[in-house]
Amino acid sequence: MKRLRVWVIRLGGLFRAQRREQELAAELESHLQLHIEDNLRSGMTPEQARRDAILKLGGVEQAKQAYRERATLPWIESLLRDVRYALRQLYKSPGITCIAVTTLALGIGANTAVFTLTWAVILKGLPVPHPGRLIEYEMRNGDSMIGLSGPEYTVLRGQQKSCTDLLAWASDAASVRNGTAVEGRAHIQLLSGNALDVLEMQPYLGNFFSERSDTNEDARGIPVVLSYDYWQQKFHGEDHALGQTLFIAGHPATVIGVMPKTFEGLTANFHPALYLPLSFADLLYGKDFRNHPGHFGHFVLGRLRPGMTLAAAQSEVEAIEPLVRQEADPTGIYMNQFFKPFRLTVQDGRSGVSWVKATYSRPLLVLEMLVAFLLLLCCLNTALVMLARVSGRQQEYAVRSALGASRYRLISQVLIETVLLTIPGLMSGLLLGWAAAQALVTMLGTMGSASSMDVRPNAVILGFNLTMSLLVALGAGLWPALRASRTTPAFNLKTSNRSVAARQMGGWVVVLQVALSVCLVTSAILLGGTLGRLWMEDSGFHAKGTALASIDLRASKPQPAETARVAGELLEDARQKPGVTASGITGEKPLIGFFGASHEFSIDAHGNIHSDPHLFSIQVSPGYFDAIGTRLLAGEGTAPTAKNSMPQCVLSHDLAAFFFPQENAIGRIIYAATFLQPDGTNLDPKNGCRVVAVAENARLVSLRTAAPHVIYEVISPYILSKSTQDAFSSSQINLIVHAKTDALAIAALHDAVKLALPNSAEVKYQSLRQLENQDLNRERMLVSMSGAFAFLGLLLTALGLYGLLMRNLVLRTSEIGIRVALGAQRKQIVMAIARKALVEVCTGLLAGAAITIFLVRIIRQLLQESQPISEWPLLISTCVILLVAGIAFYFPARCAASIDPIQALRAE
Amino acid sequence: MGEKADVWQGTLALMALKTLETLGPQHGYGLARRIEQTSGDLLQLNYGTLYPALLKLEQEGYIRSRWGTSENNRRAKFYELTKAGQRRLKKAAAEWEQTTEIVARFLAPAEEA
């Protein structure tokens, strides 16, 4: 407290220096007079008296200086003086200042953009106490993940010991009505009653559901808790919201509370408006949802007990998984057949469940790495600028040093100048970065989930960028500062020829710049190549002119026969639209990234059993193959005509070759495996289907992954309902049409849906190309970002090279002038200038190639790339950089060649 | 500027506070003279060093200053002890006594031997 008081007073002392000086002078004067009078009284002569008084005071100037240092903060004073001086210096050369600021702005902007995304996607946790102690249980198979089934959650919750408790939730959207006012559809999240206990948080207003709400025995009706935003929007943040009744999907629910503002649900970027008890699922989907062993729609979070770790929880899960699978699904149909490859796993749950995180955390790490390279490049460019300024002021430093400036003062002067360059760079960089982050989110946003990603600026992002820019400033300024401070006044004051000191400036900066550019450009080409390959390679279907409508009939709860009728009408209507060449229906939307596996087997001509437990089984209408453009290599994809005949199926090429090696698959029978019976024992024709055709391989799951083994069950839409056991998929129709253009296809879908479904069904229209883009969002983001970084890197390198050559040229003007006067050819002059630059660029290329080899290895590992390494990206980037270096070199060389010896020598 | 100077600075501040307590409001010159006299002229005080020390005490809130007239009608800046200064003096004096006592105990047996 006292120290603070002293500081404030001393800080204040900076502003009234003049008055203080006067007062001190007066005080010392009165001191002397008092002393002299005393001395006179003791009998000294006036002269003696004065002399003695001054001697005893011990030097007026020293006393004043000590007083001054005590009265203010001397280092702040000199800092302010340095800042004023630095500002004057920067103002004097606006061009260079502009370039340096722009460079820094671009570097910091890129850093801000990537870090903002990294923060939003990876680092930000749920707004609850100790989010790092939350773990998430999920069913995972490589890259694809699903939730847990209701029974699985119940068994796991009872068996596990790692967590204090588990909570479960599910997400959906539902129509909301408030009295007579229709509020439209809103995102809802169903939470188990213990959710807030596990999360250790409180509702902002009112209450939360109790555990009793899970069992649906709560006699008080359905409770609903509002999100803060919804409460603000619809109830204007007023308390009377509590106790109101909302009709959610037609069911009355009473508002009992409001969630805190920061809490935005447990699924990242989903932003639910309403929270309902998990038991509400019974009303939404029927009892099946929570008890069915095959509906993996529960997401589960747990809070680790004190002392437990994620690894311990993982090993516990591995130990109890067999028991959980057995108890949750006694028949084994789902756990040991359809979802066999999915294993119960534990993940860090600090962000809840985030598909964005799962998909983008690795690419973002790659981008963070590349942006670090870019930032280093900016740092080098700024260092070059500072170096040029410093070397131009050697004499000034010599004078200051001769006048007694300490080395520390010279260093701090240069550093302050660099930091001042960084400040506007930082400001514009932050703005640029946030704009870029918004743009990126919009680009990724076609998925719907990412579009609402929160990329608002916050203290962490600001702090991180401030630290980074300070590091850049220090990194860029330190070397020039040290160089400036190593002045030898005796030498520098004598030499008017600055070129001696400045000639060998900064060659290694060019080497480093070129090396970094090689890394950036090669990475961009590599990533671009990957995207290009995914796009160009034959996918097994045609995206051009193909569109898909996903029609959700759940709201009207149709009977299977009704669904079949609608499907049939849709097919007919769509086919008759102008420009449409084919229409079909599929049970599975293509390119969504995962599928539930089926297990089937065949018996070949030699009696060998071929069994595949990881099949992608799709029900399609006969027109499907024409509509999506998957060619039939043999046979014809027709549906059985009679209701009771054997189902007919089409195999993908690889699957046909697997089931019937070197045999004709047409006309053969594929059997579905039965649980607990070895393959080949149950040959009941009811479990089988007859192969009518073989189709080409198609990368239906994702363009990124190899074509799966697909078995298409061809069914007539009119009997679609019969073979469909699953109540969920039967109320979902995916209609595909192929037309001349995407627009025609979408229009045809719209018309067909309007005709067949006049009432409001939920329909989503997408062209196949949009689906492809979504599927490759990750690659597209990587390519656009790394491409931008590479471009910036090249620009910075070119600028750096150009600036350095130009500067060296200016320093050597008189030398060149003499050479020309002595009869040197232009070619020789250019060669002399070029030789050094060429050596530097080539050294940089070599160093860059070496770093790139490591970098590429890391990137490939992060992105799990499996294509063989190619040397082409490196070769191409080398050529690109040589070209850019050539352009940067052209102008200085032309200048050098056109130096007029008379002019040059006169200037000397 | 090692530790010795700090100790000196500290003792000078203590002496100034104590002198102000005994004399009441006093100007810099009077204070310096009085300190010298009290020490029995054993201290060679450089009067100039007193002013930064007084400024420090003032910044810390232990003394306050105002311009006034001396006994022989000269304008001078008078310093006087504040409440905080009195408390500080009490505490510092106690600490100092304790320190000297401890040091004395260390030195005493050596003198006996």
Side-chain angles (χ1 to χ4, degrees), chain A residues 494-742:
Chain A
K494 260 187 283 178
T495 48
S496 61
N497 187 356
R498 290 161 301 157
S499 60
V500 180
R503 188 176 294 161
Q504 295 99 5
M505 174 186 105
W508 62 271
V509 177
V510 171
V511 173
L512 263 179
Q513 278 189 327
V514 170
L516 289 172
S517 305
V518 172
C519 293
L520 287 175
V521 176
T522 312
S523 311
I525 294 174
L526 186 84
L527 295 170
T530 304
L531 179 63
R533 184 174 51 75
L534 292 178
W535 248 326
M536 304 304 244
E537 266 179 13
D538 184 16
S539 58
F541 52 84
H542 52 208
K544 185 171 174 287
T546 311
L548 177 133
S550 316
I551 302 152
D552 187 350
L553 297 173
R554 271 183 302 173
S556 57
K557 300 203 180 88
Q559 293 298 310
E562 169 68 7
T563 311
R565 188 191 59 77
V566 170
E569 271 177 32
L570 281 169
L571 270 182
E572 284 308 314
D573 291 345
R575 198 168 297 147
Q576 282 154 19
K577 297 294 165 211
V580 172
T581 53
S583 71
I585 282 180
T586 170
E588 303 288 337
K589 208 167 145 181
L591 301 176
I592 55 170
F594 68 92
F595 64 93
S598 305
H599 183 177
E600 312 207 4
F601 66 89
S602 68
I603 301 175
D604 69 11
H606 307 288
N608 295 327
I609 297 168
H610 301 277
S611 165
D612 188 340
H614 198 216
L615 286 177
F616 189 10
S617 167
I618 315 176
Q619 295 177 329
V620 296
S621 71
Y624 166 82
F625 296 100
D626 284 339
I628 202 165
T630 303
R631 278 164 309 195
L632 295 182
L633 304 174
E636 251 182 278
T638 53
T641 42
K643 271 203 170 192
N644 292 323
S645 59
M646 194 178 212
Q648 303 189 346
C649 57
V650 175
L651 303 182
S652 69
H653 174 265
D654 283 1
L655 183 60
F658 171 81
F659 273 158
F660 304 102
Q662 281 145 18
E663 294 173 27
N664 185 6
I666 308 283
R668 311 294 285 274
I669 296 178
I670 308 290
Y671 298 95
T674 29
F675 179 58
L676 292 180
Q677 279 184 21
D679 291 343
T681 48
N682 186 352
L683 299 180
D684 186 346
K686 268 192 287 179
N687 286 339
C689 67
R690 188 181 305 281
V691 179
V692 290
V694 173
E696 65 176 326
N697 289 324
R699 285 179 288 160
L700 283 177
V701 178
S702 162
L703 290 178
R704 205 179 291 130
T705 51
H709 282 177
V710 188
I711 179 162
Y712 303 90
E713 192 187 339
V714 188
I715 42 180
S716 157
Y718 297 106
I719 52 169
L720 187 71
S721 54
K722 187 192 126 249
S723 52
T724 316
Q725 302 155 352
D726 196 322
F728 283 88
S729 66
S730 72
S731 47
Q732 188 107 25
I733 304 172
N734 296 307
L735 179 64
I736 298 181
V737 299
H738 181 65
K740 286 207 182 72
T741 66
D742 287 3

Side-chain angles (χ1 to χ4, degrees), chain A residues 16 33 206 299 390 412 447 546 623 702 710 719 727 755 762 765 789 812 824 832 878:
Chain A
R16 30 186 201 90
Q33 290 306 330
F299 296 97
V390 165
S412 76
M447 293 274 271
T546 311
S702 162
V710 188
I719 52 169
L755 213 63
E762 222 179 304
Y765 302 93
F789 293 171
R812 289 172 69 178
T878 307

Side-chain angles (χ1 to χ4, degrees), chain A residues 431-445:
Chain A
L431 290 179
L432 209 68
W434 275 320
Q438 300 290 354
L440 269 175
V441 167
T442 320
M443 195 188 107
L444 303 181

Side-chain angles (χ1 to χ4, degrees), chain A residues 254-297:
Chain A
T254 312
V255 177
I256 62 161
V258 176
M259 284 291 200
K261 187 175 186 186
T262 48
F263 187 78
E264 292 177 324
L266 294 173
T267 306
N269 310 315
F270 182 70
H271 305 290
L274 305 170
Y275 299 89
L276 288 147
L278 203 51
S279 56
F280 192 66
D282 295 355
L283 298 172
L284 265 187
Y285 317 119
K287 290 260 183 217
D288 253 7
F289 177 76
R290 290 203 296 152
N291 302 327
H292 197 291
H295 295 315
F296 295 86

